[in-house]
Amino acid sequence: MSRVSSSKVYRWALHYLRPYRKKITVLLAVTGLEIVAGLLTPWPMKFLVDHALGTSPLPQWMASLGSNRMTLLLVGCGAYLLFHLLSEFISVAHTQIQVGIGQRVIFDLRQELFAHLQNLSLRYHLSQGTGDTIYHLENDAYCVESLTLNGALPILSSAITLAAMFFVLLRIDWQVAVMSLIVVPLLLLVNRYYSERIVEQSEQVKEMESGVLNLVHEVFTSIRVVKAFGREAHEQQRFRREGATTLEARMRLTLQESFFGAMINVVTTVGTGLVLFVCGYQVLHGRITVGELLVALTYLGSVFGPLTTMSHTIGNVQASVASARRAMRTLQTSPEVTDAPNAIETASLRGEIEFRDVHFAYDESQPVLDGISFQARPGEMVALVGLTGAGKTS
């Protein structure tokens, strides 16, 4: 199978969400409320600094609150508490809905993989090993949640949040808004540089980890043979050798991921420093108030927050792309034994089995069964006798 493109991998993962359209709609609505709550959160702080504690006059639509500073202080603190509590409750609802959908799509993929793996030929399982099959069901199945609910959805949410925050910053001060986006090209370069390396290494590490699991399964399913021939030390050496190689590969991958995260943080920190300087300059020249400065800095964190989330998410899902490619490769493997086009549907069976001139081979160049014919009637006991390797099991 040729290497599957990332766009095709995402389309494949997204189709697992189709049975949960209504739940996804609710999740998107809650996500929208979460974005709105995030937009409202900084404004009570501006109200407190500029109006309750400062000397700025209230806007016309708030004139009914009066001029008593204690009243304004209580209103500001109450609004601050209300908005934060609202944000937390929405976040809890968002998490519960997302986890519920995520666990279901993981289970759906596991069921599909389990059914397909059972239908694949003995040759496939002998060549791949049971450990690889278990790794598919236990680890690779998480890819569908990681690519959709933990990948595409956070990126979409972050993009909407970024647009909303940028609009508000633009209303406060256009120079601050423009400076807040100066990091975007740098983040894109960092993403492009590390993403390709991370996905390639992730795929290699997963293959190696499934190989170690194969070794473990092989040893413990044959533990009587291992003990009978005193092979414990030999198997321990094999495990240590393969495990150490896998460990080194995992550490190299972790180092790449750590560098990726560090570069994202460095870029956003530099951007924060630049915007902080511009904001301070605007306050010194009386172009914005201290309260607006606080709102701008809060929104700045909310701008860099989505940018950082998008960058980290894009980096983190690369490992899931590797898992998805493995799962897709398995699901696209066709069973060797399938019904013939003229296969007959049987309504009921009498229990009689007849082999009539049966030919079979795992490899076309080496036939195992050549013209086998026999009958096994209900109630009879039939024994197949022959030398080792003669084809009795087949």
Side-chain angles (χ1 to χ4, degrees):
M1 176 182 167
S2 60
R3 190 176 183 83
V4 181
S5 65
S6 295
S7 59
K8 188 173 182 180
V9 168
Y10 279 103
R11 288 197 300 272
W12 170 81
L14 286 170
H15 93 272
Y16 284 93
L17 296 180
R18 288 176 186 169
Y20 308 102
R21 291 187 186 91
K22 292 182 179 179
K23 292 181 182 292
I24 292 294
T25 302
V26 174
L27 180 61
L28 290 174
V30 173
T31 301
L33 290 175
E34 197 170 26
I35 293 171
V36 172
L39 288 169
L40 293 175
T41 301
W43 289 100
M45 187 62 69
K46 177 186 183 306
F47 178 87
L48 287 169
V49 173
D50 284 350
H51 307 301
L53 304 177
T55 58
S56 298
L58 288 170
Q60 188 65 36
W61 64 276
M62 298 179 69
S64 60
L65 293 175
S67 58
N68 186 287
R69 289 183 176 273
M70 185 56 69
T71 301
L72 297 180
L73 183 62
L74 288 173
V75 170
C77 291
Y80 180 85
L81 180 62
L82 177 64
F83 289 161
H84 275 80
L85 287 176
L86 179 65
S87 179
E88 290 301 320
F89 281 121
I90 293 173
S91 179
V92 169
H94 180 278
T95 300
Q96 287 300 111
I97 297 170
Q98 180 170 323
V99 169
I101 299 172
Q103 291 301 309
R104 286 177 174 85
V105 294
I106 291 169
F107 184 62
D108 290 344
L109 177 56
R110 277 182 173 156
Q111 286 191 98
E112 187 177 353
L113 280 168
F114 187 80
H116 187 75
L117 285 163
Q118 284 192 102
N119 290 329
L120 293 180
S121 65
L122 181 61
R123 187 211 303 267
Y124 172 86
H125 290 287
L126 291 175
S127 64
Q128 296 297 317
T130 306
D132 188 68
T133 300
I134 295 173
Y135 196 91
H136 273 314
L137 295 171
E138 182 62 27
N139 295 81
D140 290 339
Y142 282 96
C143 68
V144 68
E145 181 195 30
S146 299
L147 290 172
T148 55
L149 299 175
N150 294 334
L153 183 62
I155 291 173
L156 175 63
S157 173
S158 296
I160 296 172
T161 304
L162 178 62
M165 297 294 182
F166 179 75
F167 176 76
V168 176
L169 278 179
L170 200 60
R171 296 293 300 271
I172 294 173
D173 188 277
W174 70 268
Q175 291 178 321
V176 174
V178 171
M179 288 297 292
S180 69
L181 294 183
I182 199 170
V183 300
V184 172
L186 296 174
L187 289 176
L188 291 174
L189 287 174
V190 172
N191 265 316
R192 182 174 180 180
Y193 179 80
Y194 281 101
S195 294
E196 294 177 359
R197 287 160 176 77
I198 288 174
V199 70
E200 290 176 4
Q201 290 188 32
S202 294
E203 199 159 356
Q204 292 172 2
V205 168
K206 288 180 181 297
E207 295 290 346
M208 295 170 76
E209 287 175 344
S210 69
V212 173
L213 196 57
N214 264 332
L215 189 153
V216 171
H217 184 270
E218 177 187 331
V219 170
F220 285 104
T221 52
S222 308
I223 191 65
R224 286 186 294 179
V225 177
V226 172
K227 286 189 170 294
F229 288 92
R231 302 290 286 176
E232 292 92 342
H234 171 75
E235 298 301 341
Q236 181 67 30
Q237 288 178 359
R238 285 179 63 203
F239 180 80
R240 185 184 296 112
R241 185 169 57 250
E242 292 196 24
T245 304
T246 304
L247 175 62
E248 290 173 4
R250 171 59 70 178
M251 292 300 294
R252 287 194 297 271
L253 175 60
T254 303
L255 183 63
Q256 287 282 349
E257 292 172 340
S258 298
F259 274 128
F260 176 68
M263 289 301 297
I264 294 296
N265 292 331
V266 166
V267 170
T268 53
T269 301
V270 171
T272 302
L274 290 172
V275 175
L276 187 58
F277 174 80
V278 173
C279 285
Y281 182 84
Q282 300 291 62
V283 171
L284 288 175
H285 288 77
R287 294 171 185 165
I288 61 175
T289 66
V290 175
E292 288 174 329
L293 169 64
L294 289 174
V295 172
L297 290 179
T298 303
Y299 276 175
L300 178 64
S302 299
V303 167
F304 284 166
L307 284 173
T308 304
T309 298
M310 291 168 72
S311 300
H312 280 296
T313 301
I314 291 170
N316 291 335
V317 299
Q318 299 310 312
S320 301
V321 170
S323 290
R325 283 175 177 163
R326 283 168 47 81
M328 291 174 71
R329 211 159 35 229
T330 299
L331 291 171
Q332 291 180 13
T333 302
S334 301
E336 289 185 12
V337 180
T338 57
D339 288 340
N342 57 348
I344 301 172
E345 286 285 342
T346 56
S348 61
L349 300 173
R350 299 192 307 274
E352 180 177 342
I353 299 172
E354 180 179 0
F355 275 55
R356 186 182 303 162
D357 194 28
V358 174
H359 298 260
F360 178 74
Y362 293 104
D363 186 342
E364 292 182 2
S365 62
Q366 295 181 334
V368 178
L369 304 180
D370 186 12
I372 300 297
S373 300
F374 67 89
Q375 281 185 313
R377 298 180 179 85
E380 287 186 343
M381 182 177 293
V382 178
L384 300 177
V385 182
L387 299 173
T388 300
K392 299 187 297 298
T393 303
S394 299

